Amino acid sequence: MAYGLLKGKRGIITGALDEKSIAWKVALKAKEEGATFTLSNAPIAMRMGAIKQLAEQCEAEIIPADATSLEDIEHLYTKSMDVLGGKIDFVLHSIGMSPNIRKNRPYGDLNYEWYQKSLDVSALSFHKMMQTAEKLDAINEWGSFVALSYIAAQRTFPFYTDMADAKAVLESIARGYGYRYGKLKNVRVNTVSQSPTITTAGSGVGGFDVFHEYAHLMSPLGNANAEDCANYVVTLFSDLTRMVTMQNLYHDGGFSSVGISEEIATKLTELHQS
């Protein structure tokens, strides 16, 4: 059911790779709620994914951009404003990548050049997107930036390695730039800490299946899926959340507030009795 939450709003949605992607679901939901927007991803990711199919469904133009490149980001904003006919109301940052995780480097044996790449792609790109938008005056008053995060920024999940550091930096940037942009233009900046979600990117993390099952058993509502996340993100783009900013918002079925669940306790009891 659509509510017209984004009627008349213009946006940029980054990171849609395929139909499993949270960004893909956000795009479909934003379209349903009345928004017009452009889609963007890194050129290499676009070759691997199916973003053209999404663009057709959403009647959206694709603007390739490397989120670590200030030149590419500037082009993304200027072209988006040209295509959409005005300043931007919302931006989704759904960007994350760790060469160390991809190549199975443990946290105690990181390649530091790759580590810096993880931070640049997964976190500093968020700052670059906001700094560039500010300099271009590309965002309307009461606009909204949302980035996707994960609770490994607060808790240790051994196999999440340097991506945990990147998410911690991402959330800090949201607070720092959230203050600045709020004072300047009433623009809101938030991160959404999502349940472990079965996406092409998420499934590449070592031990992901265990993460996913554990979180599901710990959460009273179970894991939030990508479509649920899209519904939540759309509310953060809308005028219903005009006074929400600088927050890391847990969208995880209650996982972040649970010490131990009955299901986990039962499994441990069964394990000791076996």
Side-chain angles (χ1 to χ4, degrees):
M1 179 178 178
Y3 302 91
L5 292 179
L6 303 182
K7 187 176 181 181
K9 292 193 181 294
R10 297 179 284 259
I12 297 172
I13 295 175
T14 69
L17 182 65
D18 55 36
E19 58 188 10
K20 292 181 181 179
S21 305
I22 292 172
W24 186 291
K25 305 290 188 184
V26 171
L28 293 177
K29 191 65 183 175
K31 174 67 174 176
E32 183 182 341
E33 292 296 334
T36 56
F37 49 86
T38 58
L39 297 167
S40 184
N41 211 330
I44 187 170
M46 290 174 61
R47 289 196 295 273
M48 294 166 55
I51 195 170
K52 289 182 181 178
Q53 177 190 330
L54 178 64
E56 289 172 6
Q57 284 182 259
C58 296
E59 300 176 284
E61 185 160 335
I62 303 167
I63 304 172
D66 176 349
T68 67
S69 164
L70 292 173
E71 184 179 352
D72 280 15
I73 295 170
E74 182 173 338
H75 177 255
L76 173 60
Y77 281 117
T78 55
K79 184 70 183 293
S80 293
M81 288 189 287
D82 181 53
V83 168
L84 300 173
K87 292 184 185 179
I88 305 304
D89 297 294
F90 64 85
V91 177
L92 176 68
H93 180 283
S94 180
I95 302 167
M97 186 273 291
S98 167
N100 280 297
I101 288 176
R102 284 185 181 179
K103 300 183 182 184
N104 298 312
R105 293 292 289 262
Y107 195 61
D109 187 32
L110 294 182
N111 177 308
Y112 286 116
E113 289 185 8
W114 296 350
Y115 186 15
Q116 289 174 341
K117 186 70 172 176
S118 298
L119 295 174
D120 198 12
V121 172
S122 308
L124 302 188
S125 60
F126 193 38
H127 191 285
K128 291 176 182 180
M129 290 188 76
M130 289 186 283
Q131 178 173 285
T132 303
E134 180 192 331
K135 289 183 176 180
L136 293 173
D137 191 24
I139 308 298
N140 276 320
E141 193 169 4
W142 298 106
S144 175
F145 281 86
V146 176
L148 298 179
S149 191
Y150 182 56
I151 198 172
Q154 288 80 32
R155 301 184 189 175
T156 299
F157 293 82
F159 300 110
Y160 210 64
T161 69
D162 62 347
M163 274 300 293
D165 301 340
K167 293 300 187 186
V169 174
L170 179 78
E171 292 176 15
S172 181
I173 288 169
R175 290 186 292 271
Y177 227 110
Y179 180 83
R180 178 179 178 84
Y181 234 151
K183 298 291 283 186
L184 285 170
K185 296 274 293 185
N186 294 320
V187 171
R188 305 107 71 193
V189 182
N190 296 288
T191 54
V192 172
S193 188
Q194 165 70 358
S195 297
T197 308
I198 300 173
T199 64
T200 301
S203 301
V205 177
F208 176 82
D209 290 345
V210 176
F211 279 5
H212 192 267
E213 177 68 8
Y214 172 72
H216 184 68
L217 292 173
M218 280 284 285
S219 309
L221 300 181
N223 287 330
N225 63 29
E227 190 162 37
D228 290 326
C229 187
N231 290 333
Y232 189 45
V233 168
V234 162
T235 68
L236 294 173
F237 292 159
S238 80
D239 293 335
L240 296 179
T241 52
R242 285 177 65 151
M243 300 306 289
V244 180
T245 195
M246 299 168 63
Q247 302 300 306
N248 179 51
L249 301 160
Y250 291 103
H251 185 258
D252 61 6
F255 175 84
S256 51
S257 293
V258 176
I260 190 169
S261 67
E262 293 174 5
E263 289 81 359
I264 293 291
T266 298
K267 280 190 171 291
L268 289 172
T269 300
E270 291 171 352
L271 181 63
H272 287 303
Q273 290 175 345
S274 63

